[in-house]
Every structure is written in structure tokens, then in C-alpha cells.
Amino acid sequence: MSTTTHQWPLWEVFVRSKNGLAHKHVGSLHAPDSEMALKNARDVYTRRSEGISIWVVPSAAITASSPDEKDPLFAPSDDKVYRHPTFYDIPDEVGHM
Amino acid sequence: MGETHSLEDRFQAFVEAENKVEPKHWMPDGYRKTLVRQISQHAHSEIVGMLPEANWITRAPSLRAKLILLAKVQDEAGHGLYLYSAAETLGTSRDQMIDDLHSGKAKYSSIFNYPTLTWADMGAIGWLVDGAAIANQVMLCRTSYGPYSRAMVRICKEESFHQRQGFEIMMHLAKGTPEQKAMAQDALNRWWWPSIMMFGPSDDQSPNSAQSMKWRIKRKSNDELRQEFIDKTVPQAEFIGLTIPDPDLRWNEETGHYDFGTINWTEFFDVIAGNGPCNAERLAARQKAHDEGAWVREAAAAYAAKQASRSARSPAQTHAA
Amino acid sequence: MTFRMKWDTCDPKTAYVLHLADDALILGQRLSAWCGHGPILEQDIALTNVALDLIGLARQYYGYAAELIGDGCTENDLAFFRDSRAFTNHLLCEQPNGHWGDTLARQFFFDTFHFFQLEALQQSSDERLRHIAAKAIKETSYHAQFSAEWIIRMGDGTEESRSKITQSLRHFAPFALELFIPAQVDAAAHDLGFGPDVSVLESDWKEKIQSILTIATLSPLEWGFPKKGGKSGVHSEHHGYILAEMQSLARAYPDATW
């Protein structure tokens, strides 16, 4: 039933506004390729304003840093490389959550 | 297991200090699961919510109204996208979330199972449904999960515009011809109770609420939000000369709030269970769009794969569209 | 509703502006029906943006036509109170959406023409038309790129998509030919300097279409026998239903404002 075999990959979108200094991460979207990703990003995240620079990057190409050791939620036992999207398996809920 | 115990405590202290939880932070399993469910259902609500309003785009009575409605429904699509995007940071996938919606495993807001019968419904939905959503959404801007809170900030900016447009439609109708005024009153009559049901039952009936409040996912109770909405909306109805269909509605000087009549929770639970006027139609429309779009998605994916292997073979050759 | 217009008493300029408006409105109306039903959310948003652009453009043109007519005429009078025989949109614009391939094939033909038309309108003897065209051409070039990219993905995608898009293109080809056959409304506009000789646009258009088909690995099109009449107010049977849906509420309360 699921169409994962035809899933369009996830892209992260970064936008620098007309007078902005740097690209900011604004969200993600699914697109089949970079050209469509760029067009869709323009439609969704900029509502087609002028003078905007957009970067789209496959989410799988992004490596994110872990919280450092001093962070209260740093979990030293968790040595999974967290890529976005993660392949974290969430089992079905048992009863109510 | 001593380690896990102290992580839970640290997590609790972290959220109580109003910090934002980010995708790479450790989080309790229950926190992650609750958020996946809540954010994805919120996203589904935006997407399914497009349908009752999209119903009137082709019949809008003026060009400006057509444009505004089309833009509003498109905004809702965008909101759904921001929310799916936030949910995906927690490890679920768009495909999984869509499957859960279509299978009935995931829910969406009950309000969208009601039919839109007249143009005045466009006003009522903007005014009441978006109005109710705003109360919830402003609260969620302070939710503890970073990506969700940031999505909500973006959504809230766009949402207030929608509510104003809805109210303006109602106001204009109420001041219009006798038929238009009757149309507006009729829409209010049909949409009032479902709108206040949107906030859900009292929290003492919602087992999830207490934990959600503890984790700072939820910041206000259902009853608080509902009261806030009613207090804000009653004067608006009075201002435009429409009557809220609740004979028990009255201002309570002592409490500083409006008292209101008993909500028919049976109707709410019937609709949630799939027996509302339009549940089947809404899901069928979504399923149909998904099924009929399969060949399109496959085509684009196939093309992308071909392009990738072409550029792997000869990096210089990519077409210019 | 204070204004009623006789459909056959327009001066050539007003008639031409209405023709431009009608194309944008009817096509925008068709596209808006996709809202909430696209193959994936991102594409739903993209196609709806095209609809928004077209309806916005229609408003520009209807607004201008209303000014030319005067007498309190409004854009809504023109969009909601003219009958089918008064509309001079191309037949292509009113054809049904069908599936995604059909819609994008229709767009591909029209958007590509639209680009060349607006390019020519930037040289119109009419200042307002020059201004409207200058603003619209950026969006239209974007629409044309979007449609072309979809033709490529469907043509060079799967066997199923190739088969479907081939059929769609073949189906709409005869309707596309009307774009380049002058009728009274656009021939008169050309004679007076407002608009282009559309027959002259055909070769550039066909070249562009063909170049995209080649990239899409699709065979050259056989154009078939032209379908025409839309520009003369002689529409297909679809047109009446489009107007019935679009105009019904406005016409039910002719004295109301919304």
C-alpha cells in the first residue's frame, strides 16, 4: 500500500532574503530532483518573492552535529549517527500514550 | 538503567526551564511518539481542511473572492507541508504519515467532516474554524519541540490574515441583502457548535493531556482554550448583528467569562469515529488524489534516476530545461 | 447589477482585451479545480500558484476592459454576467483537466504560446497592455518552464508516463493550432497595432515545443486538423458547464455585492 519505492527524496531548504546576510534553514520538502526542489521551494517557502536566494540540499547529504557533552540532553550511550531523516524505528503504540 | 532515569529527569528539567528540544537531543520515547502523532495529525488537518473550502473556489461570486479563497487554501497546503516537515525530523516519513491517514490510523480535526453548503460557509470557516485554530496555534508557538514551535510561528503569521478575511465575509453578508444576511446566520448556526467542539473534550477526559502539559508540548488546557475562543468571538458576532445559536450563552459578571450551553459530545465522538457527514468523502478524495498521482510520482522518480546515472557516466552532460 | 453589455457591440480594443482576459480566466478556472487533488502536496501548491497568476492576470485585463467600457462596468460584470457566446477564449483553455498529463500538456501548449504572446504585447501600441505584459511575462516564463519540465519527466520517465503524455499531447495538438489562426478579434487588434499577428508566432512556438519533446525523448507531433471557434465565441460543449458553475452564485444574487 505504501509507495516508499517511489518516494521522492527529502530536501532541506535554505533561504536568504533580499537584504539578508546568510541563508537560513526554513524547512524541508519532497521533490524528485534538484530542479523541481528549487521550484517547489520557491513556491512554498518564499511565495515567489523577488531577489531571494534559495539552496536545496538532499537531507541525506546533511550531517548534523550532536549536542556537546555539556548539554543536559547529551546521551553518551547513543552513538547512532543521526542523519536527517533518521531511520529510527518507532514501534506501534501499545494502549494509549 | 540508572543512566536512563537521570536522562528522564534531565529532560524534564530541560523543558521546565523553557528550553527547546531539537532533533538530535535525547528524548523519551513517549515524547517522540506523542509528537509524531500530534504533529502529523495537525498536518493531516491542514490538508483535509483544504477540501471543504476548495469546494467553493470554482463558484466564488467575485474574482477577488476567488483569488483570496484560492490563496487561502494554498496557504493551508503550505502549512501542512511545514508540519509534515517538522514531523519528519522525528523519524517518521511522509509516505508513512499519508498511509496512516488513509488507513484511518491517524486522525484529523473533526471539523472538516462537515459539508460546505453556501458561500457564507467560507466566512464562517475563516472566522470560527481558523479563529479556534489560532487559539491553539498561538499556544503551540511556545511548545517545547523546536521544529514544531518554529513551524507554528510561521503558520500563525499567515493564519490571522485568514481569520480576518472570514470575518470580513460574514460582516459584509450580515450588512448585505436579506438573503445574504440569512445565509450568514444559517452558516453560523451550522458551524458554531462544531467549532467549539474542535478544542476537544475537557482535559479530565483526555488521558494524554496531563503528560503533554508536563512535557510542555501543550501549554493550555482544552477548556481554557475553548473559553478564550468563546470570550473573543461572542462580541464579534454581536458587532455584526448575528446571533450565536446557544440559548444558554450569557456573560458571567463574577467570572468575567461567558457561560455557555452543554456541548453534545456524542456528536463529536460519532464524527471522530468516522460517522460524520463527510468523513468518507474526505478520505476518498485524499485516497483518490494519491492513487491517481502514483504514475506521476513514479515518472518523476524514474526520470531522476535516469538523470543521476547519466551524469554519473558523463558528468558534463545534463540537459538545460 | 447596474451594467449589461451587448456582446457584439464592443470596439476592437475592448474586444481584444476581453479575449486576453477570457483566456486567463477560463484556464485559471480549470487549474483551480486541482486545488486539494494534486499528485503530491508540493505540486498541488505549484499548480495552484499558476492558477493564482492566471486569475490575477485576468483581473488586470478585465479591469482594463471595464474602464474602456465605462458606465460603472466592473470586472465582475464581465466575468460573471456574459454568456458563453460572448467569451472569446481559445478552445484549448476550456478543455477538461483530465489527468496530470492532460493538464500539463494543455499548459505546455498554452504557456509556451503565452510567453511569445506577452513578448509581442510588450511592443503593443497600447500603453496599458505593454505594462500588463511586462509584469506578466516573468510569471509566464516560469509557468512555461514548469510545464516543459513536466513534459520531460513524463516523456522520459516510465513506459506508462510516456504512453500517457504521448496521448495527451496528441489529443490537445489540434486545439493548440487555434492559437495561431487569426480570428476577427485578434486580426483586428493586429491591424490596429494592439496585438501581434499570431500566425507569425507559430514557427518559434513549434520550434520550442519540438525542442522540449526531443529532450523528453518523444517523437515529433502530428498536429492533426485544427479545432477552432473559441475566439469567435463558438465554444466546445464544455464551456457552458464551466460558466454554469463559475457564474451561478453571482447570477443568483445579481444585486448583491460580495
Side-chain angles (χ1 to χ4, degrees):
Chain A
M1 146 112 229
S2 169
T3 53
T4 39
T5 45
H6 307 295
Q7 184 182 14
W8 291 359
L10 191 64
W11 300 75
E12 299 303 322
V13 180
F14 301 82
V15 170
R16 187 187 62 215
S17 61
K18 196 166 185 175
N19 297 312
L21 296 173
H23 287 77
K24 295 200 308 190
H25 180 242
V26 290
S28 62
L29 53 82
H30 286 272
D33 54 61
S34 59
E35 276 153 25
M36 278 290 173
L38 215 50
K39 285 194 160 58
N40 290 155
R42 198 162 164 260
D43 283 329
V44 177
Y45 288 107
T46 74
R47 302 308 164 107
R48 301 204 271 111
S49 308
E50 295 289 304
I52 298 236
S53 170
I54 304 173
W55 290 349
V56 291
V57 184
S59 305
I62 295 187
T63 307
S65 62
S66 299
D68 74 32
E69 288 145 21
K70 301 207 179 68
D71 189 296
L73 300 185
F74 171 73
S77 57
D78 179 9
D79 54 13
K80 264 190 271 221
V81 174
Y82 189 102
R83 281 176 172 260
H84 175 95
T86 175
F87 301 101
Y88 215 102
D89 214 77
I90 302 178
D92 284 346
E93 293 172 20
V94 178
H96 68 259
M97 254 315 311
Chain B
M1 290 299 101
E3 222 173 54
T4 314
H5 175 74
S6 78
L7 269 170
E8 301 264 7
D9 287 346
R10 277 192 268 154
F11 183 83
Q12 191 55 41
F14 187 82
V15 299
E16 276 174 25
E18 299 293 331
N19 292 300
K20 293 292 180 210
V21 180
E22 297 297 342
K24 291 206 74 170
H25 281 135
W26 181 88
M27 59 187 82
D29 252 13
Y31 182 84
R32 186 186 296 275
K33 285 187 211 167
T34 295
L35 277 172
V36 167
R37 190 194 65 224
Q38 183 171 328
I39 301 173
S40 63
Q41 290 186 172
H42 195 165
H44 295 325
S45 296
E46 294 284 350
I47 301 314
V48 177
M50 290 168 71
L51 297 171
E53 289 174 293
N55 189 30
W56 278 89
I57 291 169
T58 52
R59 290 176 290 171
S62 76
L63 292 180
R64 181 173 173 269
K66 191 191 287 288
L67 214 56
I68 287 174
L69 183 58
L70 191 48
K72 177 183 198 279
V73 178
Q74 195 200 31
D75 275 355
E76 281 151 21
H79 296 171
L81 191 46
Y82 304 154
L83 290 164
Y84 283 131
S85 171
E88 285 188 271
T89 66
L90 289 159
T92 182
S93 72
R94 175 85 68 86
D95 273 358
Q96 182 63 59
M97 289 188 275
I98 300 291
D99 276 357
D100 287 348
L101 172 67
H102 295 169
S103 70
K105 191 168 165 217
K107 302 289 177 201
Y108 55 89
S109 189
S110 55
I111 192 81
F112 301 119
N113 293 310
Y114 291 86
T116 49
L117 303 177
T118 71
W119 177 253
D121 289 24
M122 298 301 103
I125 287 177
W127 176 37
L128 302 175
V129 177
D130 288 328
I134 283 170
N136 191 40
Q137 281 163 191
V138 167
M139 172 198 74
L140 286 171
C141 290
R142 297 184 294 123
T143 197
S144 53
Y145 188 57
Y148 193 17
S149 129
R150 291 188 288 273
M152 293 316 305
V153 168
R154 189 179 289 126
I155 288 173
C156 281
K157 271 194 202 138
E158 294 172 0
E159 201 71 55
S160 58
F161 181 54
H162 296 173
Q163 197 208 5
R164 219 180 53 236
Q165 282 165 359
F167 185 67
E168 279 172 10
I169 290 176
M170 293 303 265
M171 187 164 68
H172 190 91
L173 291 173
K175 290 200 287 212
T177 67
E179 289 89 358
Q180 284 178 306
K181 181 160 188 180
M183 200 189 281
Q185 183 61 60
D186 168 70
L188 174 54
N189 292 346
R190 283 181 289 105
W191 288 93
W192 174 255
W193 289 101
S195 297
I196 65 175
M197 283 181 212
M198 271 178 83
F199 297 97
S202 284
D203 293 276
D204 53 20
Q205 315 231 336
S206 293
N208 300 340
S209 276
Q211 186 60 72
S212 282
M213 294 282 262
K214 196 161 177 253
W215 277 330
R216 304 299 194 269
I217 293 174
K218 196 172 158 62
R219 307 307 307 253
K220 285 189 186 174
S221 72
N222 295 347
D223 286 334
E224 269 181 277
L225 289 169
R226 183 177 9 253
Q227 189 65 62
E228 223 177 78
F229 171 72
I230 292 175
D231 290 345
K232 180 183 66 165
T233 308
V234 173
Q236 291 171 345
E238 285 169 3
F239 180 74
I240 58 178
L242 295 177
T243 308
I244 291 187
D246 181 356
D248 297 318
L249 186 68
R250 63 181 52 80
W251 177 251
N252 184 322
E253 196 58 55
E254 268 172 44
T255 61
H257 295 291
Y258 283 94
D259 291 336
F260 54 94
T262 312
I263 293 173
N264 179 359
W265 289 112
T266 308
E267 178 182 330
F268 176 77
F269 287 112
D270 283 343
V271 173
I272 293 269
N275 297 314
C278 298
N279 297 58
E281 286 83 348
R282 300 293 181 233
L283 278 183
R286 293 308 309 153
Q287 183 77 65
K288 181 170 189 262
H290 189 74
D291 292 343
E292 291 184 355
W295 72 271
V296 179
R297 298 190 299 273
E298 286 161 28
Y303 175 76
K306 287 187 199 179
Q307 282 296 87
S309 64
R310 278 168 201 151
S311 57
R313 282 198 304 275
S314 45
Q317 279 173 15
T318 44
H319 85 263
Chain C
M1 146 74 248
T2 56
F3 180 83
R4 298 248 175 232
M5 194 187 88
K6 288 259 189 259
W7 63 270
D8 59 351
T9 57
C10 252
D11 65 278
K13 179 179 283 193
T14 310
Y16 184 61
V17 176
L18 282 172
H19 156 67
L20 297 172
D22 291 344
D23 266 350
L25 178 62
I26 295 297
L27 189 55
Q29 175 78 357
R30 276 301 197 205
L31 285 179
S32 69
W34 271 103
C35 191
H37 305 282
I40 191 172
L41 194 50
E42 287 82 346
Q43 296 298 322
D44 203 301
I45 293 171
L47 199 64
T48 305
N49 261 344
V50 182
L52 277 166
D53 287 343
L54 286 170
I55 295 169
L57 179 59
R59 291 190 71 201
Q60 296 280 307
Y61 286 133
Y62 283 124
Y64 183 31
E67 284 169 35
L68 290 170
I69 292 166
D71 261 338
C73 179
T74 70
E75 60 180 4
N76 293 317
D77 292 332
L78 298 170
F80 294 95
F81 292 91
R82 283 154 70 229
D83 293 339
S84 177
R85 296 279 282 107
F87 276 71
T88 52
N89 59 278
H90 291 96
L91 290 176
L92 181 63
C93 298
E94 70 199 48
Q95 298 311 303
N97 285 335
H99 56 60
W100 188 256
D102 294 324
T103 291
L104 270 301
R106 186 188 63 200
Q107 282 314 113
F108 176 52
F109 287 147
F110 185 80
D111 292 336
T112 310
F113 159 78
H114 199 195
F115 177 80
F116 289 120
Q117 183 201 56
L118 290 173
E119 229 182 16
L121 281 174
Q122 286 180 110
Q123 316 302 324
S124 171
S125 63
D126 181 277
E127 188 195 342
R128 185 73 161 269
L129 287 180
R130 287 200 304 272
H131 178 76
I132 293 174
K135 279 178 58 185
I137 197 162
K138 207 168 224 158
E139 289 170 349
T140 299
S141 104
Y142 192 73
H143 303 164
Q145 278 174 54
F146 179 76
S147 319
E149 290 200 8
W150 268 110
I151 301 306
I152 291 168
R153 278 153 186 74
M154 288 187 276
D156 194 15
T158 60
E159 278 314 303
E160 182 181 7
S161 68
R162 171 192 298 277
S163 161
K164 281 181 147 93
I165 194 61
T166 300
Q167 280 180 290
S168 304
L169 290 163
R170 195 173 286 155
H171 172 76
F172 287 109
F175 293 101
L177 295 176
E178 187 190 10
L179 298 166
F180 308 105
I181 302 171
Q184 167 69 17
V185 65
D186 46 1
H190 174 64
D191 289 341
L192 295 163
F194 311 139
D197 174 359
V198 291
S199 63
V200 151
L201 302 178
E202 188 172 10
S203 59
D204 279 350
W205 179 86
K206 276 191 170 160
E207 198 184 306
K208 185 64 183 172
I209 296 297
Q210 195 47 59
S211 73
I212 298 297
L213 293 180
T214 302
I215 298 170
T217 71
L218 293 167
S219 333
L221 272 172
E222 280 163 28
W223 294 98
F225 190 81
K227 296 225 194 276
K228 51 191 166 82
K231 283 192 285 197
S232 311
V234 181
H235 293 281
S236 64
E237 287 183 347
H238 302 296
H239 200 259
Y241 289 101
I242 296 175
L243 294 194
E245 190 175 333
M246 187 175 77
Q247 299 180 338
S248 60
L249 177 57
R251 288 190 184 230
Y253 302 95
D255 297 319
T257 63
W258 301 92

